[in-house]
Amino acid sequence: MNTTAPARHVPSFSSDGCIDIDEAAGTVHQRDCVDLMRAMPGNSVDMVFSDPPFNLNKRYKSYKDRRPFEEYLEWTSTWVKEAVRVLKPSGSIFIYNIPKILTYTSAMLNEVAEFRHWIAWNANGRPLGKSLQPAHYGILFYTKTGNYKFYDVRAPHKRCRVCAEYLKDYGGKSHLRHKFGYQVSDVWDDIHRVRHNCRRIEEHPCQLPVPLIERMILMTTDENDIVLDIFAGAGTAAVAARQMGRRYIGAEIDGDYCAAARGKLERARPVKEGGAYVSVYLKKVVSMRDVD
């Protein structure tokens, strides 16, 4: 594959040297995320999603996932501050990582943003070993201010796989059960990780399921809002944004991943049911806003 992604939608610059956000939206830019964000005006995007390298020596095509730890933390602090700067006052930031790294990242965010939740994603893995093995990934949910967008999101009620009956009776008040599903909590265990090679994209070593990011988008943005994805990888968040009817700006330094992400973004289409955006997983609606 050609390692140089074709140039598309090159954004113009305003008189103050900033990128025109409307022109920047709609593609993945082959550019370092910090450089891209520094060229963006403040208060310009509605949501930031970050799935950075974990510093665990994973095999990426064009960059190494191993830095001295203090250097890794300094780099993290740099992009965290830029990400919050470009957020609108009503905007939200989600950062996905292993719990150890997130304890440091949370301290950085506490200085520039407001804590909302630590979301635990149980990816239904089966780690091996003799010590206490990690079975969840963390997702930090922060907002720029206390006046932020938020919508309740519901997921389908859990049922018995054998008899199809509801697993919870809600304390004897089953008659009050919402007709679609329960309001999601800060523990997500209904969306599984990408396991099979046939579902992986361009041999990228770290890929998330699209519905995971769609749930974040539904919770904190409206149609045509701008989602900034600062580590685009092979384009999972790009697909999620397009399917939920949001505008998307991605940053990715690797040419192969950038080209793959652009292709996925172009092929993605909005997903609606009954006029409302919904997230579909395993051919079933897995996330829907309460207002819809």
Side-chain angles (χ1 to χ4, degrees):
M1 178 184 292
N2 185 351
T3 57
T4 302
R8 303 178 192 177
H9 304 293
V10 177
S12 61
F13 288 81
S14 60
S15 58
D16 59 2
C18 290
I19 287 176
D20 185 292
I21 291 298
D22 289 328
E23 292 191 18
T27 194
V28 181
H29 302 270
Q30 189 178 348
R31 192 167 177 179
D32 178 86
C33 66
V34 175
D35 291 341
L36 180 65
M37 288 189 289
R38 283 174 173 166
M40 295 170 61
N43 305 318
S44 58
V45 303
D46 299 280
M47 173 184 153
V48 174
F49 174 72
S50 172
D51 176 11
F54 291 179
N55 210 38
L56 296 177
N57 205 28
K58 288 181 177 290
R59 292 186 178 182
Y60 295 96
K61 285 189 174 183
S62 63
Y63 48 94
K64 293 182 179 180
D65 184 32
R66 173 59 69 187
R67 303 181 185 214
F69 192 62
E70 291 302 320
E71 179 184 321
Y72 178 82
L73 293 181
E74 183 178 354
W75 169 72
T76 299
S77 177
T78 299
W79 61 253
V80 162
K81 291 176 181 177
E82 281 301 312
V84 174
R85 182 187 67 82
V86 300
L87 268 181
K88 293 179 181 178
S90 59
S92 299
I93 180 171
F94 293 89
I95 300 178
Y96 169 84
N97 212 313
I98 58 175
K100 175 184 176 180
I101 299 299
L102 289 184
T103 61
Y104 294 91
T105 311
S106 180
M108 300 169 190
L109 280 165
N110 287 338
E111 297 180 358
V112 292
E114 298 192 19
F115 174 82
R116 296 303 161 199
H117 295 282
W118 176 303
I119 299 169
W121 177 44
N122 179 1
N124 288 282
R126 293 294 181 265
L128 301 176
K130 296 182 180 180
S131 63
L132 184 64
Q133 295 296 304
H136 89 278
Y137 294 92
I139 303 170
L140 293 178
F141 172 19
Y142 276 71
T143 60
K144 188 162 184 175
T145 69
N147 185 21
Y148 61 100
K149 290 184 179 182
F150 182 80
Y151 300 94
D152 292 331
V153 170
R154 292 186 177 271
H157 296 294
K158 296 181 180 180
R159 296 175 178 263
C160 173
R161 293 183 178 181
V162 178
C163 66
E165 292 295 325
Y166 292 113
L167 294 179
K168 293 181 65 175
D169 65 0
Y170 294 91
K173 299 180 180 180
S174 58
H175 62 288
L176 299 178
R177 183 187 293 115
H178 190 277
K179 63 181 180 179
F180 171 71
Y182 64 94
Q183 185 174 318
V184 298
S185 70
D186 59 2
V187 177
W188 298 355
D189 61 2
D190 56 334
I191 301 171
H192 301 172
R193 63 191 178 94
V194 179
R195 288 187 175 92
H196 305 295
N197 288 334
C198 65
R199 296 180 183 175
R200 291 187 178 275
I201 310 152
E202 307 300 329
E203 299 180 354
H204 194 281
C206 184
Q207 294 181 41
L208 298 178
V210 172
L212 192 75
I213 304 173
E214 288 177 335
R215 181 170 287 176
M216 305 174 208
I217 291 172
L218 287 172
M219 285 170 49
T220 58
T221 65
D222 292 305
E223 185 176 24
N224 291 321
D225 278 356
I226 295 180
V227 174
L228 172 63
D229 176 17
I230 58 178
F231 300 98
T236 302
V239 173
R242 177 65 57 83
Q243 291 187 166
M244 295 300 98
R246 275 59 170 175
R247 292 183 289 166
Y248 174 85
I249 301 173
E252 174 55 50
I253 64 173
D254 183 275
D256 283 354
Y257 299 154
C258 189
R262 287 174 178 171
K264 288 176 64 65
L265 178 61
E266 290 180 358
R267 292 190 296 271
R269 295 292 181 270
V271 178
K272 285 187 172 184
E273 186 169 302
Y277 290 100
V278 297
S279 177
V280 176
Y281 176 63
L282 299 178
K283 300 181 180 181
K284 296 181 179 179
V285 174
V286 71
S287 297
M288 178 185 293
R289 298 202 319 188
D290 204 13
V291 295
D292 295 327

